[in-house]
Amino acid sequence: RLSMGEINDRLLAGDYPTVDAVVGIQTGGRIPATLLSFHLGLPLYMLPINYRDENNDPRYQEPKVLAGVPQLPPAGARVLLVDDVAVTGATLAKARELLPGYQITTFALKGRADIVLFPEVRQCVHWPWLS
């Protein structure tokens, strides 16, 4: 269990590349992307992609785009692509398919990405916004 304070402290202390927008992967990346967007003072966009259920079990054979993709950042923008957890990288890969021509830096609270906020955490986490 990580507290909102611990997450906020790490977010504020992070070293982020220069980007033009934050793109969150719903639903898991919605809260961390919103926090980063606010912290960095950048526009926020969301991608309606889902792979796992509330128990962290795969819902589909592969990540799935659940609806039409809403507005995206301007073409060629540098984006911070955000999800809560990236274990296999499949959801981030699906998101990359929707963002051709963008300069992408991936971000996850835990798991594997260009930027990982809690690299030392290996076990499942109960995020405070799921309480």
Side-chain angles (χ1 to χ4, degrees):
R1 185 175 280 274
L2 293 170
S3 73
M4 208 54 209
E6 290 171 294
I7 294 167
N8 187 59
D9 289 347
R10 290 269 181 113
L11 280 172
L12 293 175
D15 183 24
Y16 304 102
T18 301
V19 293
D20 305 306
V22 175
V23 177
I25 297 175
Q26 295 175 321
T27 56
R30 183 182 61 223
I31 300 297
T34 301
L35 293 170
L36 278 165
S37 169
F38 178 78
H39 170 61
L40 299 173
L42 294 171
L44 175 64
Y45 302 86
M46 290 290 173
L47 295 176
I49 300 172
N50 184 253
Y51 183 41
R52 296 181 182 273
D53 64 17
E54 301 77 25
N55 297 317
N56 204 32
D57 295 318
R59 231 176 240 198
Y60 312 104
Q61 290 194 344
E62 62 184 30
K64 183 176 179 177
V65 179
L66 298 179
V69 176
Q71 181 182 6
L72 293 174
R78 299 165 295 181
V79 301
L80 189 59
L81 179 60
V82 179
D83 206 353
D84 58 348
V85 177
V87 176
T88 67
T91 305
L92 292 173
K94 177 58 91 176
R96 283 180 180 277
E97 291 176 15
L98 301 174
L99 299 167
Y102 290 85
Q103 297 174 47
I104 299 171
T105 300
T106 57
F107 174 99
L109 295 177
K110 69 174 257 9
R112 293 183 294 186
D114 297 321
I115 300 169
V116 180
L117 206 61
F118 292 94
E120 74 280 8
V121 174
R122 300 281 180 234
Q123 68 275 19
C124 286
V125 174
H126 182 81
W127 304 112
W129 45 86
L130 298 177
S131 297

